[in-house]
Amino acid sequence: MDPNKFTLKSGQQVLAVPCLEVDAFAYGVADETGAGLERFLDTFVGAFGKGLRFYRTGDMKRYRAIDAKALDGPRHWFSDPGLLSSKMLAFVAHSGEQEDDVRPPAIRMSLLGNWEEPRFVLRMMLPAALGDSPEDVVALVGDALSQFPLASGHCGYSFVWEWTDPTVTEEVHEWAAPLLLRHPGLGYGDPISLSNAAQTGVVAVSWLTLLGAEALQLLGGLPALQAAAPAGVTVLPLGSTGAIVRAGDAPQAGDVNRRDPLPAYKTVGSLVEPARASDDALDEVAIDGMPDEEIDDWLRRFFP
């Protein structure tokens, strides 16, 4: 990936940069939810913690410099099922040089326990250059989600920006929408906006499409899915009950203008179609900056 092509600047200020995202969704509070959240955070910190500079929780008005107590809050949340099932909690950490200069590696954990059915939306934003080390990424994803009660998720190229700034977010969305339409391997970058649809099934296919226990059973289980996978698609176990469906060796952005619509991703879309999110749910998803008439096809670009 050429990072310059997928970087948004305003004068000397960089507003958005490419990343390799890992998005994961879960619903309801299970016995393993707290341990799964902690494993996700610990895996990220173990791999990238030395480069983190700033963090923020949902009740903080601004970022603070990373210190020895930065993870105390999240670890307390994870240990308390009552909090996880009743409170809206959030943790963000990033590696930018300034507090509002969000850069990968970064992590965003949105724990929405106050919703009618609690939901947990997790996102790692890894350096895009890690796309050149795909085996390391597969291992990281497998470790991070090995205990998480996953519904579904995905890993592929996307963007990262300071999403708490509405002015920046609007500018990023307007700039990114044409890139999303041209390069189908790019993700939207805001998993919370996909979380309603993800509650009904697989909402997005990417380089790695992540399946939880229910989705995997809809597809016949791990041995059946492995047997059905054609050349170029690999199905790996994820934890004890899920699966990673891998489209090709490494992530790709694709380019429809150069006749590269990512056929391996389309193959995965056909493979997981029975577990796809419902049409009604997909019809409710908004992709800011994208013309309304393009959104339906874009959300379904890899599904038959």
Side-chain angles (χ1 to χ4, degrees):
M1 165 178 273
D2 177 2
N4 293 322
K5 183 176 182 179
F6 301 105
T7 296
L8 173 63
K9 295 182 178 180
S10 177
Q12 296 299 310
Q13 183 182 11
V14 175
L15 300 183
V17 298
C19 69
L20 190 63
E21 68 176 355
V22 182
D23 293 350
F25 306 95
Y27 302 87
V29 179
D31 291 342
E32 66 271 25
T33 297
L37 292 168
E38 187 164 14
R39 181 64 171 262
F40 188 87
L41 178 60
D42 284 350
T43 301
F44 176 82
V45 171
F48 306 108
K50 291 182 179 179
L52 294 176
R53 291 190 172 94
F54 297 96
Y55 80 102
R56 184 176 181 178
T57 60
D59 59 351
M60 292 166 52
K61 294 183 178 181
R62 57 185 300 173
Y63 287 97
R64 295 177 183 172
I66 286 281
D67 57 27
K69 297 182 178 181
L71 302 183
D72 288 354
R75 295 196 193 287
H76 171 63
W77 308 338
F78 303 157
S79 68
D80 188 338
L83 285 177
L84 294 178
S85 61
S86 63
K87 301 295 184 180
M88 183 168 67
L89 305 164
F91 178 79
V92 178
H94 71 82
S95 304
E97 294 186 1
Q98 305 293 329
E99 63 177 84
D100 58 353
D101 182 31
V102 178
R103 294 289 181 271
I107 188 170
R108 180 184 182 186
M109 305 181 74
S110 303
L111 317 180
L112 308 176
N114 61 333
W115 290 44
E116 183 175 353
E117 182 178 18
R119 67 182 59 184
F120 305 94
V121 183
L122 310 184
R123 187 177 198 229
M124 288 186 191
M125 293 148 278
L126 311 179
L130 281 182
D132 296 330
S133 303
E135 302 306 327
D136 292 341
V137 176
V138 172
L140 177 76
V141 171
D143 189 11
L145 294 173
S146 60
Q147 294 178 259
F148 188 61
L150 180 73
S152 66
H154 49 272
C155 171
Y157 288 127
S158 186
F159 304 103
V160 58
W161 67 94
E162 177 43 82
W163 55 85
T164 65
D165 185 327
T167 301
V168 170
T169 294
E170 182 177 3
E171 187 169 350
V172 170
H173 284 155
E174 293 293 333
W175 163 80
L179 292 172
L180 298 180
L181 292 170
R182 177 172 175 175
H183 303 281
L186 296 176
Y188 178 46
D190 181 8
I192 291 180
S193 68
L194 303 178
S195 64
N196 280 348
Q199 193 169 12
T200 70
V202 176
V203 71
V205 165
S206 192
W207 170 54
L208 303 181
T209 301
L210 312 173
L211 305 174
E214 184 175 341
L216 184 57
Q217 287 307 115
L218 285 173
L219 300 172
L222 183 64
L225 193 60
Q226 289 174 323
V233 174
T234 306
V235 180
L236 306 169
L238 175 58
S240 60
T241 60
I244 298 173
V245 186
R246 178 176 178 175
D249 291 334
Q252 303 290 330
D255 189 338
V256 296
N257 289 1
R258 297 185 177 183
R259 299 182 181 180
D260 183 13
L262 299 179
Y265 289 38
K266 287 179 174 288
T267 299
V268 171
S270 296
L271 195 64
V272 304
E273 166 70 14
R276 176 175 68 83
S278 71
D279 283 321
D280 286 345
L282 289 174
D283 289 344
E284 295 296 321
V285 175
I287 304 298
D288 291 340
M290 188 176 290
D292 290 343
E293 63 272 16
E294 302 278 9
I295 293 174
D296 286 354
D297 286 345
W298 185 80
L299 287 168
R300 298 165 174 83
R301 64 199 182 282
F302 297 129
F303 293 117

